Structure formats: C-alpha cells, structure tokens
Amino acid sequence: MSTAVVDAGVLSARGRRAPVRLLGLATLTVVPLLFPFGYLLWQALAGGWQGVLPAGRLAELALNTLLLTGLVVIGAVVIGFGTAWLTTRTDLGGARMWSTVVALPLVIPSYVLALVLLTGTGRQGILSGMVVALGGDPLPIPRGLLGAVLALVVSTFPYVHLSLVPALRRVDPALDEIARALGAGRLKRLRTVLLAQVGPALRSSALLVGLYSLADFGAVSLLGYDTFTRAIFLQYAGRIDRRPATLLAAVLVLIALAVIGLERSTRPPRSERKGRVVRPGSLHRLSNGRRFAAVTFLTLLVATSVGVPVAVLAAWWVRGTAAGRETVAVWSEVGRSISVSIGAALAVAAIAIPIAVLVTRYRSRLGAVLEASAWTVSALPHLTVGLALLLVGVTLLLPLYQTLPLLFVAYVTMFLPQALGPTEAALREVSPNLEEVSRSLGQSPLQTFRRITMPLIGKGVLTGAGLVFLTTMKELPATLLLRPTEFETLAVRIWSTTSEGFYTRAAFASLVLIMISAVPMHFLVSRDLRHA
Amino acid sequence: MVEPMKSNPTILLVVVLLLACGGNAATTTTPTSVADEGTVVLYSGRTEELVGPLLTRFEEEAGIDVDVRYGSSPEMAATILTEGTDSPADLFYSQDPASLGSVADLMEPLPESILSLAPERFSDPDGRWVGITARSRVLAFNPELVAEADLPATYRELVDPQWSGRFGIAPTNGSFVTFVSAMILLEGEEATGEWLEGIAANDPVTFDGNSPIAAAVDAGDLELGLINHYYLRELAAEQGSITAQNHFFTEPDAGSLVMPSGIGILSTSSNPVAEDLIEFLLSAESQAYFAETNFEYPVSPDAPAPGGLPAIDTLVSPVLSSAELAGVLDQATDLIAAAGLA
C-alpha cells in the first residue's frame, strides 16, 4: 500500500518523466513517417540537379505556384473573415444556420470543382447554356490561373471561416469599449482591437490555406495551371527518367517547410489571458439595407460554392445520360473508398492515442518534437508523400510496394494530426486525478488507461476518426500513386474520367462522393460550431 | 484545420453505420498483387476506357483474372525499369512504341506463332513486342469554324500567327511526345525545338489528354486540335453525332505518323497465361472490336477496317523504329518542357 501512495505522489506532479515504453512507441510511430522525405531529398541530391531541369523552368513554376498561393490566401481570408464576422459579431438573423451552410463546400474536393468549371462553361457548358438563353455569349472555359483560383478559394474559405468563428466569439468586448472611450475611430479599433485579438487564428488559417494551395494537385492539373504539383506529376507520368519528378518534389517539400518554418518563427508568443470573457460582446447592429446586403452576399456565396456545383454536375449527368452516354456503375469504387477510409480512420485514431497521452500527460521534450514532426509532415503536399513512399517502396520495401499497408502509411503521414487534435483535447478534459486515484488503488497504467481514460476520451477519438474518414475519402494524389493494382477508388475514378474527358461518368462519380461525404461532414461541422 | 472539439454520439453512430457498410465492401475488393494460378498481371499504358471491356471479355472467356494497373505508357515503362527483376508485371501494353522500346531489353522474344499474326512493320524487329493496333496522327477541325480547304497543309504551319489561340494540343501525352520524337529523328533536334517554341508562342490551348481536345473542337470551343484519329470516332459513338472531322496530313512526316500500340511479355514473368492474353488481343474477335468500338486500325490483315476512315494502306507515314523512337523519348520531353509547354 505504501508504494502505491508514493506512486500517487509522483503521479500528481504534472510533468513527470515519460515512461520509456511510451516514448519508444511514439518514436517508432513518428520516425518512419519522416524517413521517406529524407529519402526523397537524398535521392534528389544523389540524382544531381544539373541538366535534369532547366533553371528557368524551376523559376517559372515557383512564380506560378506563389502567385496562385497568394491570390487564394487573399480571396479565402477575405471571404472567410467576412462570413465569420457576419455570423458571430452582428445581429444577422439565423447566424448559426448560416455558419453551418457556409462550411458546406468542404464536402466538395477541389478536383470536383475543376470538373464543375469544365462542365459549366464552354459552348456545351450548363451555365453557358443559361447565359446564351438570356441572350449572352457562352462563358469561356476558365483554364489556367483564373480557374485554379476560383476552385481553390471555394475549397479553402470554409477553413478560414471555421477557425475564425471561435476566435471571434472569444473577442473581449471590454477592450473595444475602452478603445472607444479613448476616442479611437472605427478603423483604428478594427486594427488595434479586433484584428489583434483574432490575429493568431487569422495567421494560422492563412497558413493552412497557403499550404493547401501549394499542395493542390487535382484542380491545377485538370485546369492546366502549371504549378509544382502539376509539373511533378507530368514529369512522373510523361517520362522514363524519374529524376526530374524527384527533384521537383524535393524542391516543393523544401518550399513547404520554409513556409511552415517562417510561420512558426514569426508567430507571437501565446498569451493566454485567463478568465477573459466575462460576458458576450454586444453585437454590431445592422441597418436594414446592410442586413439585406449581408443576406444577399451569404446567399450568393452558398449558391455559387455549393448549389451551383451540385446543380451543374447533376444537369450534366442527366443531359449526358439522356443523350445515351453510359454511366459506368461506380459501386465497387464506392466500396473501396469507404473501406479504405474506415481503415485509415481507425488506424490513425488508434496510432494517435499513445502520442496524445505522451503530449498531454508528461513533460517530454522528445514528445513535443515528435508531435511537431507529425504536424509538419502532414502539412507537406500529398503528391510528395505519395512520390516519397513510392520511391521507398520500390527500392527498399518491395514486399510493401503496391499494397494497402503502404497506402495506409501515407494516410497516417497525412492525417495523424487530425486525430491528434481532438484526442489531445479530450485528454485535457479528463482530470489526471482520476487516473491517479485508479493507480493508487493498485491498477496498472494500462489497466487505468483501459478502464478510466479510454471511456472518457472515446468520443474525442471518434471525432478524430470521423475527420480522417472524410479527408481519406477525398484524397487523390497519394492514392493515385500508391494504390494497389486494380484498386481504383472513387477519387481516382473521378480524376481519370475527367482527365480523359468522360465528363458524364465523372459527374456521376462526383455526385456520389459528395453525397457520401455530406452526412458525416454535417455532424462534424455543426458540432464544431456549437461547441466553439 | 482541426479545431479541438468534443464529441457527440451522432459521430459514433455515423462511424458505426459506415463500418457496417464498409465491411461488406472490403470482403469483395481484396487486392492481390502476387500472381497466382489463373491470374495475369498487366501494366497498361492504354486507358481503361479503351481496353477495359476487352480485358473483361478475356477474363470471362478464358477464366483467367487480369490484374490491370493503369497509368501512362512512360510511367508504366519507368515503373518496370525501377522494379527490375522484382516486377510483379507479366505483360506491358503500351500506347506508344517509344515506351515499349525503352523496356524492350527486359522483354522475352515472343514465339513466331504470335509474331506472325501482325505485319512486321508494326512490331519490334527483334520480336520482343508485337503490335496490336495502329493509330494515325491527325488534325481534328470543326468545319463550322474553319473549312477543310483552309487548313494548314502540314503541322509545321501551326506556328503561323493566323492560327494563334485557335488550336489545342496535349503536349505531355504519350502520343504527342512520340510525334515530337519522330520529328527529332526526321528533322533534327534544332528544328524540332524551334517549332515547339513557335507553337508555344502561338498561344495553344493545352490539355493533358486527347479526348478533351476532341470534345473541345467538336463543341466549337476550339477550331483545331492535334490528336490521334480515333478520338473523334469515339466521341461520335458516345454522342450519337458530331460536328468535328479528322484531317489526315498527306506529307510523310511526323504529322502523318502511324503509331502502333503494342504488347510484350517481361523476361521476369514465368506465367504461361501471358501468351494467351496476347493471342486473344490478336484474335479476329478482338481485332474486330478494336476496329468497330475503338475505331483503331487493327494490325491483323484479315480484320475489317474501321468504318468512315481511309484504308490504312492509303495513309502516308514515315517509317521509324521503336528503338530509335525510344532513344529520343526523354529528349522530346525535354524539348517540350524547354519550350514551356509542360
């Protein structure tokens, strides 16, 4: 009994040393995720860069990629800030409903939005048909930069919205009142009070959107805008020599790392003000004219980002089917997509638990490094994850090459933090005292975890699993490169039929993908907003 | 992306439901990467839309599973080269002779019984792969927007400013790369590079594949497009009727190149079924399918010609070996990239 008491005493000191076994487990999980990138960079160096790619081409791709990234960040932040502000800081009616529907574009992957642009415009386009009926000219197909910006802004502004809503709700009204009392004008208050308080959320969502644009493969490829990802895939698919694709991928990884590093190093230190919001802030009163303008803006936004895409796909499919174009049943693709997504969700959620325990229950520098590593690799472009694992698979891990386990390694690499986030949050809600009591009553750490902690964090783990499920459903580039032979998923099918010009089949497969994603997405998004 | 959040029983419900329906699906879609009895592994640089139905027919008739990995032809060739002796593939079916040429050294010579089914000019001189179909490069045009009499006489004239912004190409597609490879062999690297730069400066609309070019020309979004001859016929079969037409160039240069698609067996394969698949693709039934459904030229002299197309004997084409084409394939890709087209 006395040893248990001593044990409990040690336990109660938060920040005790992490058990070696837990550290080992977490290390064995995360380090293999880093290795393929090291191998990719090494291969790129070993292959040499002189004569592999003209320097001018590299500069052109870098310029194109950064131009796209900059425009998408601006567009997504402006729209996302607008919707988040309107739905949290004003007396607009139905704010909660708006906040949910504005996030709906998350169910539509960027490559499907590209398909929407391709089937909506041009002389045969659905939207062109409506414009022509009204006496206008057919809409030109927005290939290149314009189309890519449109598709990616629609894909990303909901992320900005979702991360700004909680930040805006937490804004302290007292600061604004003090500023006003001191005679600060509206603009000055916006800058020094509001933006200062939501700044961190704004920065991190802008970073997220930037990384997303840097990494997007489907939309830029289908719309023919030359960024790194498109060039990497074209080099990969178009030639025998793998060095150019490897080199480009290595450069893209370094650019992404630089962006992440820049954001981290310039991030202001976190200032947690305890017990900050004593009362909700007063809502900005909208005049009738402005209320009308706000509702019109939100309606148009939802219509163009969700309504129009679904309607265009449905109309194209109906028209094509009526004209006798066959829609190939995609049920086996649906089966593969769902089973692989569930597998990924469960695997990633399970793998996240030890790391989350390590980070939330112990003070460990190694644990913090491992967690940061997991976040960093997950932010790298999925195409480079696929290419790096492909290289490793074909040269070092041949038994795993072209098998589901290797694909799952890719999913863990890309999506581990999605499960880590909710799991860590759930663990922080569970008082360590409960676990200490259990230990003091003679239960082993594992028994304690199984009987006390796990039941309490189960829902957080499942939320993480739900997120991983959704992103796996939509994932294209890594799946395209690593899928086992004959393992075409829904995303791969949409990609191949769209790039081959079989838009009727692609439209049908896209509608199915959207429907499958919509149901769980609805629960996740509405929950997220309710608890924010 | 991930806001810390608590959970809710609905998520549990959703996940359980999805688990339930995924469980069934998983049992029916277990992939096999190891070839067992009655299974043959095919790396296909030809698309599923073109050859999938035929392979399914083979599976049904022969009772043999064909595990097909689809990708672009150079991608599959590169995959085979990287895998080397560990390649799980039994066969490589390529869209272009250049990709076949680059892995020909890893292929086993085919028996005379197979090689005799196709004319020599469509197969490897050393008998390591055999032609299945032949495709001609053409200029697709929309007669409502440009009259056939006004079309450029050769592909070289597409650099003329009058065609600026009016034509589509698929510069990264295997067929275009093979066309550029032929141009390098026939006219030299310098002339080819200059032509590509002229094209790049003439505001072409670029695509990743041929089908979207055919669709864009037919829809009137474009006036001209450099593609292979059968894409318009496929579009017609799907849509019922089309506006766009093929124009066959009459000079024997890269623009009128007739390219075989071909297939070979990898030396690492010991699968006796592999030859059966090739024999099936060269059978009267399959060759007729290629002509009637895909509108490709069957290599078999006995097969019917595709309807509505000039007879293959009337097509002019330069004669180039696949080994030579393979030798300049990456050079062609470099030139295309250097011109800013990829």
Side-chain angles (χ1 to χ4, degrees):
Chain A
M1 205 56 205
S2 66
T3 49
V5 172
V6 172
D7 238 354
V10 177
L11 273 167
S12 61
R14 275 292 285 283
R16 68 213 150 100
R17 291 168 63 94
V20 174
R21 268 190 293 180
L22 189 60
L23 272 177
L25 188 61
T27 310
L28 282 179
T29 313
V30 175
V31 170
L33 307 182
L34 307 178
F35 175 74
F37 294 102
Y39 191 71
L40 176 81
L41 296 176
W42 181 69
Q43 285 283 304
L45 274 178
W49 55 84
Q50 274 162 351
V52 177
L53 274 174
R57 177 70 176 152
L58 268 181
E60 187 193 354
L61 289 175
L63 208 67
N64 282 353
T65 308
L66 292 178
L67 181 64
L68 174 73
T69 304
L71 290 175
V72 172
V73 168
I74 293 170
V77 164
V78 167
I79 296 179
F81 184 83
T83 56
W85 188 78
L86 281 174
T87 53
T88 54
R89 307 301 304 162
T90 71
D91 62 345
L92 184 81
R96 191 138 273 167
M97 180 275 290
W98 282 120
S99 217
T100 308
V101 293
V102 154
L104 283 181
L106 289 178
V107 300
I108 311 180
S110 69
Y111 51 88
V112 171
L113 289 168
L115 173 67
V116 168
L117 289 173
L118 292 171
T119 50
T121 60
R123 284 178 193 241
Q124 306 253 318
I126 302 291
L127 299 174
S128 292
M130 296 165 67
V131 173
V132 169
L134 294 171
D137 287 332
L139 302 165
I141 298 176
R143 291 187 191 279
L145 181 63
L146 175 64
V149 169
L150 283 174
L152 291 180
V153 167
V154 170
S155 294
T156 52
F157 82 80
Y159 291 123
V160 181
H161 172 85
L162 286 177
S163 58
L164 284 182
V165 162
L168 280 165
R169 286 224 178 102
R170 279 197 303 265
V171 163
D172 189 346
L175 295 177
D176 192 56
E177 286 155 13
I178 294 167
R180 196 194 307 227
L182 292 172
R186 183 177 288 182
L187 262 183
K188 179 153 196 196
R189 278 185 284 130
L190 176 75
R191 197 164 47 82
T192 56
V193 179
L194 188 65
L195 286 185
Q197 289 185 78
V198 299
L202 208 55
R203 287 171 62 86
S204 65
S205 60
L207 171 76
L208 183 73
V209 171
L211 288 169
Y212 190 105
S213 317
L214 211 56
D216 180 74
F217 160 72
V220 296
S221 293
L222 294 175
L223 293 167
Y225 182 65
D226 260 343
T227 63
F228 271 103
T229 53
R230 177 168 195 256
I232 291 167
F233 189 74
L234 288 178
Q235 293 290 338
Y236 168 80
R239 61 193 299 164
I240 310 287
D241 186 356
R242 286 273 158 90
R243 285 183 306 161
T246 311
L247 180 62
L248 283 173
V251 173
L252 180 58
V253 165
L254 292 176
I255 291 177
L257 286 175
V259 172
I260 299 166
L262 190 72
E263 197 271 345
R264 294 234 166 108
S265 62
T266 57
R267 189 191 291 167
R270 192 180 290 185
S271 60
E272 293 262 347
R273 287 177 301 117
K274 298 277 179 190
R276 51 215 153 168
V277 183
V278 283
R279 62 189 159 90
S282 64
L283 296 179
H284 185 84
R285 291 244 168 86
L286 292 174
S287 67
N288 279 341
R290 291 204 176 152
R291 186 185 311 278
F292 179 75
V295 170
T296 310
F297 164 70
L298 290 173
T299 310
L300 281 177
L301 183 69
V302 173
T304 48
S305 58
V306 189
V308 170
V310 171
V312 164
L313 292 172
W316 187 277
W317 176 59
V318 168
R319 195 177 74 183
T321 312
R325 293 182 211 192
E326 48 171 334
T327 309
V328 178
V330 288
W331 308 128
S332 42
E333 282 84 349
V334 170
R336 287 180 206 126
S337 282
I338 291 183
S339 50
V340 87
S341 301
I342 288 175
L346 296 180
V348 174
I351 286 171
I353 292 172
I355 302 171
V357 169
L358 178 65
V359 171
T360 52
R361 288 291 183 267
Y362 302 93
R363 184 182 297 273
S364 157
R365 184 166 290 178
L366 181 60
V369 169
L370 291 176
E371 192 201 21
S373 307
W375 279 96
T376 305
V377 292
S378 78
L380 297 176
H382 295 178
L383 185 64
T384 64
V385 176
L387 196 62
L389 278 169
L390 186 89
L391 285 176
V392 170
V394 78
T395 49
L396 307 174
L397 287 173
L398 213 74
L400 286 186
Y401 172 68
Q402 289 183 3
T403 64
L404 281 179
L406 197 63
L407 186 57
F408 275 95
V409 174
Y411 291 142
V412 174
T413 308
M414 297 182 289
F415 305 136
L416 184 56
Q418 301 193 0
L420 271 181
T423 307
E424 286 177 15
L427 274 165
R428 288 205 173 89
E429 303 261 314
V430 177
S431 164
N433 294 343
L434 283 176
E435 295 163 358
E436 286 155 21
V437 168
S438 163
R439 290 295 304 279
S440 73
L441 293 173
Q443 299 282 310
S444 76
L446 260 184
Q447 281 169 324
T448 300
F449 179 78
R450 208 180 63 230
R451 300 178 60 180
I452 306 294
T453 318
M454 193 57 208
L456 290 169
I457 63 167
K459 289 170 186 171
V461 173
L462 276 179
T463 303
L467 280 169
V468 175
F469 174 87
L470 282 169
T471 39
T472 309
M473 280 296 294
K474 296 198 287 180
E475 208 288 322
L476 173 66
T479 312
L480 192 62
L481 260 52
L482 297 173
R483 78 201 135 94
T485 295
E486 294 242 308
F487 201 78
E488 260 74 4
T489 63
L490 210 44
V492 171
R493 179 65 66 202
I494 294 170
W495 156 261
S496 66
T497 46
T498 305
S499 53
E500 283 296 315
F502 294 95
Y503 294 161
T504 306
R505 296 177 197 180
F508 178 68
S510 301
L511 288 168
V512 173
L513 178 65
I514 291 172
M515 279 188 292
I516 296 175
S517 307
V519 181
M521 178 71 83
H522 171 75
F523 290 115
L524 289 168
V525 167
S526 55
R527 276 202 32 64
D528 193 16
L529 292 166
R530 215 163 32 241
H531 286 268
Chain B
M1 177 185 318
V2 185
E3 282 293 315
M5 51 182 123
K6 294 159 228 151
S7 193
N8 151 330
T10 47
I11 308 274
L12 179 70
L13 185 68
V14 168
V15 172
V16 168
L17 278 177
L18 291 172
L19 263 174
C21 48
N24 293 334
T27 53
T28 56
T29 56
T30 314
T32 50
S33 60
V34 182
D36 41 74
E37 279 297 301
T39 299
V40 62
V41 179
L42 172 69
Y43 280 6
S44 175
R46 311 214 65 201
T47 65
E48 188 167 3
E49 275 72 22
L50 283 175
V51 301
L54 207 47
L55 296 172
T56 308
R57 200 182 284 183
F58 172 74
E59 289 182 315
E60 285 163 2
E61 287 181 11
I64 293 162
D65 277 345
V66 185
D67 279 353
V68 199
R69 189 167 186 83
Y70 292 102
S72 75
S73 297
E75 174 189 356
M76 287 298 128
T79 304
I80 291 167
L81 288 174
T82 328
E83 289 166 351
T85 52
D86 297 306
S87 179
D90 296 307
L91 298 130
F92 175 39
Y93 186 8
S94 168
Q95 187 191 8
D96 65 88
S99 296
L100 282 165
S102 61
V103 293
D105 287 345
L106 299 174
M107 286 174 164
E108 198 72 6
L110 294 166
E112 193 49 40
S113 58
I114 286 180
L115 290 170
S116 64
L117 297 172
E120 262 175 45
R121 67 173 174 134
F122 292 130
S123 299
D124 178 34
D126 297 324
R128 291 164 298 184
W129 56 266
V130 62
I132 301 292
T133 59
R135 297 88 45 75
S136 176
R137 293 293 294 173
V138 295
L139 183 69
F141 69 103
N142 188 317
E144 287 177 0
L145 302 173
V146 53
E148 184 158 19
D150 299 333
L151 292 178
T154 81
Y155 70 89
R156 285 189 217 92
E157 289 178 15
L158 283 174
V159 296
D160 190 298
Q162 70 160 313
W163 300 113
S164 176
R166 296 165 69 183
F167 62 97
I169 51 174
T172 55
N173 185 272
S175 300
F176 188 88
V177 179
T178 305
F179 153 79
V180 174
S181 304
M183 202 175 162
I184 294 174
L185 294 175
L186 295 166
E187 302 182 28
E189 189 175 346
E190 206 182 315
T192 307
E194 279 170 18
W195 182 78
L196 286 168
E197 274 161 29
I199 285 290
N202 217 14
D203 198 19
V205 182
T206 59
F207 297 82
D208 288 346
N210 288 302
S211 302
I213 300 183
V217 172
D218 186 58
D221 289 322
L222 278 174
E223 294 173 46
L224 311 173
L226 276 178
I227 57 175
N228 296 346
H229 78 268
Y230 52 95
Y231 286 97
L232 283 182
R233 307 299 313 167
E234 271 174 22
L235 192 67
E238 198 174 79
Q239 286 183 192
S241 70
I242 55 164
T243 313
Q245 293 176 13
N246 279 327
H247 174 73
F248 288 81
F249 286 123
T250 50
E251 271 192 47
D253 57 23
S256 59
L257 185 68
V258 174
M259 303 166 292
S261 68
I263 192 167
I265 300 176
L266 297 170
S267 321
T268 48
S269 164
S270 54
N271 195 328
V273 181
E275 286 181 13
D276 296 353
L277 177 58
I278 301 184
E279 278 167 9
F280 173 80
L281 292 174
L282 287 167
S283 69
E285 178 199 351
S286 303
Q287 290 284 298
Y289 177 91
F290 281 119
E292 288 157 10
T293 309
N294 290 358
F295 304 97
E296 297 180 72
Y297 288 107
V299 291
S300 164
D302 309 325
L309 288 168
I312 190 160
D313 298 338
T314 66
L315 299 180
V316 291
S317 170
V319 178
L320 297 165
S321 85
S322 69
E324 284 180 301
L325 284 170
V328 294
L329 186 64
D330 276 355
Q331 205 179 333
T333 313
D334 284 338
L335 286 182
I336 293 166
L341 287 170

